[in-house]
Amino acid sequence: MGMDLARVGSKVAEIFVDGVTYTVATAKLGLASMAMLALSESVRGAYNYVEGCARQVDTLADTASAMWVEGVVVDAHRDAAAVMRGVLADAESLANEAEEMAGDFKAAKAGHEADYGPVHDAVVSKPGQMATREYYSNR
Amino acid sequence: MPSAPPSAPVVTDEPDGPPTLVLPRVTLPGPAVPPPPVPPSPAPSTSNSPAALRSEGHDENEGGGAQAGLGGVMVAAIGIAVAALRGMTQWTEDRRQRFQDQAPVRLAAAKAKAERIKDRAEHEAALAAIGNDAAKARAKSRIQSPTEFGGDATKNKGGGGKGGKGAGTFGEGGSGGSGRGPKSGPDKSKGGKSGRETASHGSTGAGGKPGPGGKGKGSDKGPKGADGAGGSGGKSPKSGKSPSPPSSSPSLERARGRQERAADKQRAKDQRRADRVAAQLEDRGKDRKRHHGSQDDRQAVKDRIRNGRLEAKEARKDAARDARRQERADRKAKRKEEKAARDRTALAQSVGQAVTEETERRLRARRDALDPPVLSRNRKDTPAEDAESGPKVDLKKKPRAPKGSSTAPPKATSPKPPPGPETEAEPPGQETGGPGSGPGSRSRRNREQQPPPRQEPQADGEWLRPPPGMRVEYSVTIDRPDREAQAQARARAKAEEELRRRANLANVFNPAPGLPPGPTTRSEAPPAAPAPPPSSTPSSTSSPAPKNERKAPIPMPGGPLAHPAPPPSSVGDTQFTDSDLTVYDVIDADQDMAEEIMAGAEHALLVADRCQRLQAALEGLRASLIAKSVPGVFVGWCTRLIERAGVVEDKAVAVARGLPRASEAIAHAGAVAAEHDKPVADVVRDMGHTAPADTSYHQE
């Protein structure tokens, strides 16, 4: 899992290293979106076990209290479960954040394509050479 | 006439085949004026003697030097050359034509056969009525073929079509070729080409080539082509191209009529033949496929027949082999069973049949039951070696002793002797004593078995640690309840035993934890105590019946069934345990969990690291976008994404920090549990008890 996370993360990072062109940038935005989604999933999966641990500790504490184990011991376990749940919440929010970020990548791609795609097409399809970009400005 | 010499060599070059023509030409340039000496190897001697050249008959055009005669000579030479050429081409074409004419015949025959075979097989296999239909269809096909030229083309496919085309081309070639024959070289060459073109249209183009031949040979070949066409068309004429050419000339219509007639005859023949073949092959030929190769069809049919036979044989052989194998296997199994039965009987005789029978019964019952393999082995051994049951118990105790905490080992060694004495003393003393020893040993075993599960999980945890984030680890935690359940079952058994023991043994002088049975034995039979191993052997010989009782309990400890058996023991080591959870469970679980969670923290850190890199990359992207003056929302999105990456990183860091905290918390909880309750549990364990008495028992 760790390897997965590392791979996914490095993939996300490497996506924007190359030279930037319209085509490359939009394509990489799409890739980054997918990579972040994968990261989110892997984070979620990686920390699911924390949930299992917390549940187990809780049941353990319940059983212990039913056996009249000292309150200190039971409480210690209950606290530990609570801490775990807190971490779990963090992990969950991390996964959610990553997912949202994946959505942002997607939205950025869509926005840029809708926003600038036609211009790119026009420039690409223009016969002959492009003049300086200022020449095409409309003040 | 300088132009003449070059033209001549050109013509000569085309024929390729006849070398005789080339040689005379070579001689020509020699006598001629400088211009023509194109051929590099002129022979001066030949040039000097024109007569010699004339004798050959070809070279008079220039050698004679008379320009007036040149034209006629030229024409004659060319005519000869062309004739030779034609002879060559016609010869080759004849060969081709023959081959091609025959090919459709073969093809049609083979296909007809194959079709008949297939149809026949299908029809007859399905219904006799369908066979009648097939006959009708045959009759119809005969009728149709004359009336509709291409009617049966669909059935007989390419073969017939080729024949028809051949006929058509022949008709054209015959008419046009006669006129062209006498003409000049180039025209002839064209004629040949046209013939080839037509040939290319119809696969059996040979028919068209005789046409250009025009002269004597052309006429000769005309009939041949007609025959070939007729033969081929007879099998299955095709409507495709044949109709168009005939429209041009009446002779073609005649030819067509001939072809049709021939086609009818041949068809009838072929059908008859095919029917015969089909009748022979009906049985075999259902599933066979047809190839489209003309010659291959027959062979393919034969091959299929052969293959069919071979396959049938092989199938039969295989079936026979399988049957034999099964028989052999059955025999072997029977023999094995018999052998086993004999062995068992022998053992029974040696030890005492009654004992063995009982053991066997139990054995089978237990095998059927769910017990783990180890137990089953023990049981198997027990029938063979009755006396060894005692030593086995010892063996189990030994491993267990080391497992116990530092205090355990010495005590464990000491308890061993008591069980032996018990076994000896019990039979004489009380009936219950025998089984009682069993349960005592069990209780120890149970303890042994209990601790290992706890320790095993730890070991598992350690093994699983390397892949820390893996879920496999989590499965480990899941396993626990099972262990606990097993532990509970064992604990209950022990508790029962403990009860009995305590009830029986008021006088306890406990030197060692595992020893409670020991004292009892000593009280009853002090002398026996010293030698446990010998005691086992004598006991086995002394009384078979009690052994059985003991044996029965021994195998049982593994499973819950064991518990009912023990009660009879004299001073049983009674243990009461029914716990869903023990201190050890809690401590182990907490420890494992702490480790697992700590491992997870590393991954969170990794994610945080990647997020940082992503942030940097996004910043680079934004910088380059700005540098390239990319307008629109992209830059804004980049800014947003950079922020998001920062947030993700922060959260990953939070997780990375939170996980150690969680790990610490659970570890602390385990420590608290150990601090409060472990000492008591340790003492109980060290004293050889499964669990302490009820709390009220300790109130003062």
PDB file of all heavy atoms in Angstrom, chain B residues 485-508:
ATOM      1  N   ALA B 485     -12.515 -17.825  21.567  1.00  0.00           N
ATOM      2  CA  ALA B 485     -13.562 -18.834  21.676  1.00  0.00           C
ATOM      3  C   ALA B 485     -12.951 -20.180  22.027  1.00  0.00           C
ATOM      4  O   ALA B 485     -13.409 -20.872  22.954  1.00  0.00           O
ATOM      5  CB  ALA B 485     -14.332 -18.936  20.373  1.00  0.00           C
ATOM      6  N   GLN B 486     -11.886 -20.541  21.310  1.00  0.00           N
ATOM      7  CA  GLN B 486     -11.224 -21.807  21.611  1.00  0.00           C
ATOM      8  C   GLN B 486     -10.744 -21.809  23.052  1.00  0.00           C
ATOM      9  O   GLN B 486     -10.936 -22.770  23.792  1.00  0.00           O
ATOM     10  CB  GLN B 486     -10.028 -22.014  20.670  1.00  0.00           C
ATOM     11  CG  GLN B 486     -10.456 -22.264  19.238  1.00  0.00           C
ATOM     12  CD  GLN B 486      -9.247 -22.444  18.353  1.00  0.00           C
ATOM     13  OE1 GLN B 486      -8.115 -22.315  18.830  1.00  0.00           O
ATOM     14  NE2 GLN B 486      -9.494 -22.742  17.099  1.00  0.00           N
ATOM     15  N   ALA B 487     -10.108 -20.710  23.397  1.00  0.00           N
ATOM     16  CA  ALA B 487      -9.591 -20.607  24.752  1.00  0.00           C
ATOM     17  C   ALA B 487     -10.717 -20.801  25.759  1.00  0.00           C
ATOM     18  O   ALA B 487     -10.566 -21.489  26.767  1.00  0.00           O
ATOM     19  CB  ALA B 487      -8.944 -19.236  24.960  1.00  0.00           C
ATOM     20  N   GLN B 488     -11.835 -20.221  25.429  1.00  0.00           N
ATOM     21  CA  GLN B 488     -12.976 -20.357  26.337  1.00  0.00           C
ATOM     22  C   GLN B 488     -13.364 -21.817  26.485  1.00  0.00           C
ATOM     23  O   GLN B 488     -13.540 -22.325  27.604  1.00  0.00           O
ATOM     24  CB  GLN B 488     -14.176 -19.592  25.783  1.00  0.00           C
ATOM     25  CG  GLN B 488     -13.987 -18.099  25.825  1.00  0.00           C
ATOM     26  CD  GLN B 488     -15.112 -17.407  25.106  1.00  0.00           C
ATOM     27  OE1 GLN B 488     -16.152 -18.019  24.869  1.00  0.00           O
ATOM     28  NE2 GLN B 488     -14.915 -16.159  24.785  1.00  0.00           N
ATOM     29  N   ALA B 489     -13.481 -22.478  25.377  1.00  0.00           N
ATOM     30  CA  ALA B 489     -13.877 -23.885  25.434  1.00  0.00           C
ATOM     31  C   ALA B 489     -12.905 -24.665  26.305  1.00  0.00           C
ATOM     32  O   ALA B 489     -13.304 -25.397  27.220  1.00  0.00           O
ATOM     33  CB  ALA B 489     -13.911 -24.478  24.024  1.00  0.00           C
ATOM     34  N   ARG B 490     -11.610 -24.462  25.993  1.00  0.00           N
ATOM     35  CA  ARG B 490     -10.615 -25.180  26.790  1.00  0.00           C
ATOM     36  C   ARG B 490     -10.720 -24.790  28.260  1.00  0.00           C
ATOM     37  O   ARG B 490     -10.644 -25.627  29.159  1.00  0.00           O
ATOM     38  CB  ARG B 490      -9.213 -24.837  26.293  1.00  0.00           C
ATOM     39  CG  ARG B 490      -8.925 -25.485  24.966  1.00  0.00           C
ATOM     40  CD  ARG B 490      -7.662 -24.922  24.407  1.00  0.00           C
ATOM     41  NE  ARG B 490      -7.613 -25.102  22.974  1.00  0.00           N
ATOM     42  CZ  ARG B 490      -6.898 -24.346  22.166  1.00  0.00           C
ATOM     43  NH1 ARG B 490      -6.193 -23.348  22.655  1.00  0.00           N
ATOM     44  NH2 ARG B 490      -6.893 -24.585  20.881  1.00  0.00           N
ATOM     45  N   ALA B 491     -10.874 -23.523  28.461  1.00  0.00           N
ATOM     46  CA  ALA B 491     -10.919 -23.022  29.833  1.00  0.00           C
ATOM     47  C   ALA B 491     -12.063 -23.676  30.594  1.00  0.00           C
ATOM     48  O   ALA B 491     -11.908 -24.068  31.749  1.00  0.00           O
ATOM     49  CB  ALA B 491     -11.096 -21.515  29.823  1.00  0.00           C
ATOM     50  N   ARG B 492     -13.176 -23.819  29.908  1.00  0.00           N
ATOM     51  CA  ARG B 492     -14.311 -24.460  30.583  1.00  0.00           C
ATOM     52  C   ARG B 492     -13.942 -25.866  31.005  1.00  0.00           C
ATOM     53  O   ARG B 492     -14.162 -26.302  32.131  1.00  0.00           O
ATOM     54  CB  ARG B 492     -15.511 -24.506  29.642  1.00  0.00           C
ATOM     55  CG  ARG B 492     -16.237 -23.201  29.598  1.00  0.00           C
ATOM     56  CD  ARG B 492     -17.327 -23.246  28.552  1.00  0.00           C
ATOM     57  NE  ARG B 492     -17.644 -21.916  28.083  1.00  0.00           N
ATOM     58  CZ  ARG B 492     -18.199 -21.661  26.905  1.00  0.00           C
ATOM     59  NH1 ARG B 492     -18.475 -22.648  26.083  1.00  0.00           N
ATOM     60  NH2 ARG B 492     -18.484 -20.423  26.571  1.00  0.00           N
ATOM     61  N   ALA B 493     -13.348 -26.567  30.069  1.00  0.00           N
ATOM     62  CA  ALA B 493     -12.945 -27.937  30.369  1.00  0.00           C
ATOM     63  C   ALA B 493     -12.033 -27.954  31.581  1.00  0.00           C
ATOM     64  O   ALA B 493     -12.202 -28.742  32.517  1.00  0.00           O
ATOM     65  CB  ALA B 493     -12.236 -28.544  29.160  1.00  0.00           C
ATOM     66  N   LYS B 494     -11.077 -27.057  31.538  1.00  0.00           N
ATOM     67  CA  LYS B 494     -10.134 -27.004  32.650  1.00  0.00           C
ATOM     68  C   LYS B 494     -10.864 -26.713  33.951  1.00  0.00           C
ATOM     69  O   LYS B 494     -10.567 -27.293  34.997  1.00  0.00           O
ATOM     70  CB  LYS B 494      -9.101 -25.897  32.410  1.00  0.00           C
ATOM     71  CG  LYS B 494      -8.150 -26.236  31.295  1.00  0.00           C
ATOM     72  CD  LYS B 494      -7.275 -25.039  31.015  1.00  0.00           C
ATOM     73  CE  LYS B 494      -6.487 -25.250  29.750  1.00  0.00           C
ATOM     74  NZ  LYS B 494      -5.808 -24.004  29.354  1.00  0.00           N
ATOM     75  N   ALA B 495     -11.794 -25.799  33.844  1.00  0.00           N
ATOM     76  CA  ALA B 495     -12.516 -25.420  35.064  1.00  0.00           C
ATOM     77  C   ALA B 495     -13.208 -26.637  35.657  1.00  0.00           C
ATOM     78  O   ALA B 495     -13.151 -26.887  36.873  1.00  0.00           O
ATOM     79  CB  ALA B 495     -13.546 -24.351  34.732  1.00  0.00           C
ATOM     80  N   GLU B 496     -13.813 -27.401  34.812  1.00  0.00           N
ATOM     81  CA  GLU B 496     -14.493 -28.595  35.302  1.00  0.00           C
ATOM     82  C   GLU B 496     -13.513 -29.529  35.996  1.00  0.00           C
ATOM     83  O   GLU B 496     -13.749 -30.026  37.104  1.00  0.00           O
ATOM     84  CB  GLU B 496     -15.165 -29.323  34.137  1.00  0.00           C
ATOM     85  CG  GLU B 496     -16.342 -28.552  33.566  1.00  0.00           C
ATOM     86  CD  GLU B 496     -16.939 -29.289  32.391  1.00  0.00           C
ATOM     87  OE1 GLU B 496     -16.427 -30.388  32.068  1.00  0.00           O
ATOM     88  OE2 GLU B 496     -17.898 -28.777  31.825  1.00  0.00           O
ATOM     89  N   GLU B 497     -12.428 -29.713  35.319  1.00  0.00           N
ATOM     90  CA  GLU B 497     -11.412 -30.584  35.881  1.00  0.00           C
ATOM     91  C   GLU B 497     -10.936 -30.065  37.238  1.00  0.00           C
ATOM     92  O   GLU B 497     -10.791 -30.814  38.201  1.00  0.00           O
ATOM     93  CB  GLU B 497     -10.226 -30.677  34.918  1.00  0.00           C
ATOM     94  CG  GLU B 497     -10.582 -31.375  33.644  1.00  0.00           C
ATOM     95  CD  GLU B 497      -9.447 -31.288  32.663  1.00  0.00           C
ATOM     96  OE1 GLU B 497      -8.416 -30.682  33.030  1.00  0.00           O
ATOM     97  OE2 GLU B 497      -9.594 -31.830  31.582  1.00  0.00           O
ATOM     98  N   GLU B 498     -10.726 -28.758  37.216  1.00  0.00           N
ATOM     99  CA  GLU B 498     -10.264 -28.123  38.452  1.00  0.00           C
ATOM    100  C   GLU B 498     -11.235 -28.396  39.589  1.00  0.00           C
ATOM    101  O   GLU B 498     -10.850 -28.769  40.701  1.00  0.00           O
ATOM    102  CB  GLU B 498     -10.142 -26.613  38.225  1.00  0.00           C
ATOM    103  CG  GLU B 498      -9.882 -25.832  39.488  1.00  0.00           C
ATOM    104  CD  GLU B 498      -8.396 -25.822  39.801  1.00  0.00           C
ATOM    105  OE1 GLU B 498      -7.641 -26.516  39.084  1.00  0.00           O
ATOM    106  OE2 GLU B 498      -8.013 -25.143  40.741  1.00  0.00           O
ATOM    107  N   LEU B 499     -12.496 -28.244  39.240  1.00  0.00           N
ATOM    108  CA  LEU B 499     -13.521 -28.500  40.257  1.00  0.00           C
ATOM    109  C   LEU B 499     -13.363 -29.891  40.847  1.00  0.00           C
ATOM    110  O   LEU B 499     -13.282 -30.092  42.049  1.00  0.00           O
ATOM    111  CB  LEU B 499     -14.907 -28.388  39.628  1.00  0.00           C
ATOM    112  CG  LEU B 499     -15.664 -27.088  39.921  1.00  0.00           C
ATOM    113  CD1 LEU B 499     -17.052 -27.149  39.324  1.00  0.00           C
ATOM    114  CD2 LEU B 499     -15.745 -26.898  41.436  1.00  0.00           C
ATOM    115  N   ARG B 500     -13.305 -30.829  39.943  1.00  0.00           N
ATOM    116  CA  ARG B 500     -13.205 -32.212  40.395  1.00  0.00           C
ATOM    117  C   ARG B 500     -11.978 -32.384  41.266  1.00  0.00           C
ATOM    118  O   ARG B 500     -11.994 -32.989  42.325  1.00  0.00           O
ATOM    119  CB  ARG B 500     -13.083 -33.150  39.187  1.00  0.00           C
ATOM    120  CG  ARG B 500     -14.379 -33.388  38.492  1.00  0.00           C
ATOM    121  CD  ARG B 500     -14.126 -34.098  37.188  1.00  0.00           C
ATOM    122  NE  ARG B 500     -14.873 -33.479  36.125  1.00  0.00           N
ATOM    123  CZ  ARG B 500     -14.408 -33.258  34.924  1.00  0.00           C
ATOM    124  NH1 ARG B 500     -13.164 -33.580  34.639  1.00  0.00           N
ATOM    125  NH2 ARG B 500     -15.162 -32.710  34.006  1.00  0.00           N
ATOM    126  N   ARG B 501     -10.906 -31.816  40.761  1.00  0.00           N
ATOM    127  CA  ARG B 501      -9.648 -31.984  41.478  1.00  0.00           C
ATOM    128  C   ARG B 501      -9.781 -31.457  42.902  1.00  0.00           C
ATOM    129  O   ARG B 501      -9.459 -32.135  43.876  1.00  0.00           O
ATOM    130  CB  ARG B 501      -8.561 -31.207  40.746  1.00  0.00           C
ATOM    131  CG  ARG B 501      -7.196 -31.794  40.976  1.00  0.00           C
ATOM    132  CD  ARG B 501      -6.153 -30.850  40.430  1.00  0.00           C
ATOM    133  NE  ARG B 501      -5.841 -31.112  39.047  1.00  0.00           N
ATOM    134  CZ  ARG B 501      -5.121 -30.276  38.296  1.00  0.00           C
ATOM    135  NH1 ARG B 501      -4.707 -29.135  38.787  1.00  0.00           N
ATOM    136  NH2 ARG B 501      -4.843 -30.582  37.062  1.00  0.00           N
ATOM    137  N   ARG B 502     -10.281 -30.238  42.919  1.00  0.00           N
ATOM    138  CA  ARG B 502     -10.379 -29.633  44.245  1.00  0.00           C
ATOM    139  C   ARG B 502     -11.294 -30.452  45.143  1.00  0.00           C
ATOM    140  O   ARG B 502     -11.029 -30.671  46.317  1.00  0.00           O
ATOM    141  CB  ARG B 502     -10.918 -28.213  44.145  1.00  0.00           C
ATOM    142  CG  ARG B 502      -9.834 -27.257  43.673  1.00  0.00           C
ATOM    143  CD  ARG B 502     -10.347 -25.851  43.607  1.00  0.00           C
ATOM    144  NE  ARG B 502      -9.392 -24.995  42.924  1.00  0.00           N
ATOM    145  CZ  ARG B 502      -9.665 -23.775  42.536  1.00  0.00           C
ATOM    146  NH1 ARG B 502     -10.880 -23.273  42.728  1.00  0.00           N
ATOM    147  NH2 ARG B 502      -8.766 -23.052  41.946  1.00  0.00           N
ATOM    148  N   ALA B 503     -12.371 -30.887  44.534  1.00  0.00           N
ATOM    149  CA  ALA B 503     -13.304 -31.682  45.329  1.00  0.00           C
ATOM    150  C   ALA B 503     -12.607 -32.922  45.866  1.00  0.00           C
ATOM    151  O   ALA B 503     -12.735 -33.287  47.037  1.00  0.00           O
ATOM    152  CB  ALA B 503     -14.500 -32.092  44.465  1.00  0.00           C
ATOM    153  N   ASN B 504     -11.864 -33.572  45.027  1.00  0.00           N
ATOM    154  CA  ASN B 504     -11.186 -34.798  45.433  1.00  0.00           C
ATOM    155  C   ASN B 504     -10.044 -34.526  46.397  1.00  0.00           C
ATOM    156  O   ASN B 504      -9.833 -35.272  47.347  1.00  0.00           O
ATOM    157  CB  ASN B 504     -10.655 -35.532  44.205  1.00  0.00           C
ATOM    158  CG  ASN B 504     -11.793 -35.997  43.331  1.00  0.00           C
ATOM    159  OD1 ASN B 504     -12.907 -36.137  43.825  1.00  0.00           O
ATOM    160  ND2 ASN B 504     -11.527 -36.211  42.071  1.00  0.00           N
ATOM    161  N   LEU B 505      -9.303 -33.477  46.084  1.00  0.00           N
ATOM    162  CA  LEU B 505      -8.098 -33.249  46.853  1.00  0.00           C
ATOM    163  C   LEU B 505      -8.249 -32.073  47.808  1.00  0.00           C
ATOM    164  O   LEU B 505      -8.062 -30.935  47.403  1.00  0.00           O
ATOM    165  CB  LEU B 505      -6.917 -32.964  45.922  1.00  0.00           C
ATOM    166  CG  LEU B 505      -6.620 -34.069  44.920  1.00  0.00           C
ATOM    167  CD1 LEU B 505      -5.417 -33.667  44.093  1.00  0.00           C
ATOM    168  CD2 LEU B 505      -6.394 -35.366  45.651  1.00  0.00           C
ATOM    169  N   ALA B 506      -8.616 -32.355  48.981  1.00  0.00           N
ATOM    170  CA  ALA B 506      -8.640 -31.293  49.999  1.00  0.00           C
ATOM    171  C   ALA B 506      -7.223 -31.051  50.486  1.00  0.00           C
ATOM    172  O   ALA B 506      -6.789 -29.933  50.690  1.00  0.00           O
ATOM    173  CB  ALA B 506      -9.516 -31.688  51.158  1.00  0.00           C
ATOM    174  N   ASN B 507      -6.526 -32.135  50.629  1.00  0.00           N
ATOM    175  CA  ASN B 507      -5.158 -32.019  51.136  1.00  0.00           C
ATOM    176  C   ASN B 507      -4.233 -31.649  49.993  1.00  0.00           C
ATOM    177  O   ASN B 507      -3.917 -32.453  49.153  1.00  0.00           O
ATOM    178  CB  ASN B 507      -4.703 -33.354  51.716  1.00  0.00           C
ATOM    179  CG  ASN B 507      -4.798 -34.435  50.659  1.00  0.00           C
ATOM    180  OD1 ASN B 507      -5.466 -34.230  49.651  1.00  0.00           O
ATOM    181  ND2 ASN B 507      -4.133 -35.552  50.882  1.00  0.00           N
ATOM    182  N   VAL B 508      -3.831 -30.423  49.982  1.00  0.00           N
ATOM    183  CA  VAL B 508      -2.945 -30.030  48.891  1.00  0.00           C
ATOM    184  C   VAL B 508      -1.623 -29.617  49.442  1.00  0.00           C
ATOM    185  O   VAL B 508      -1.521 -28.755  50.302  1.00  0.00           O
ATOM    186  CB  VAL B 508      -3.539 -28.874  48.095  1.00  0.00           C
ATOM    187  CG1 VAL B 508      -2.528 -28.375  47.071  1.00  0.00           C
ATOM    188  CG2 VAL B 508      -4.807 -29.342  47.397  1.00  0.00           C
TER     189      VAL B 508
END
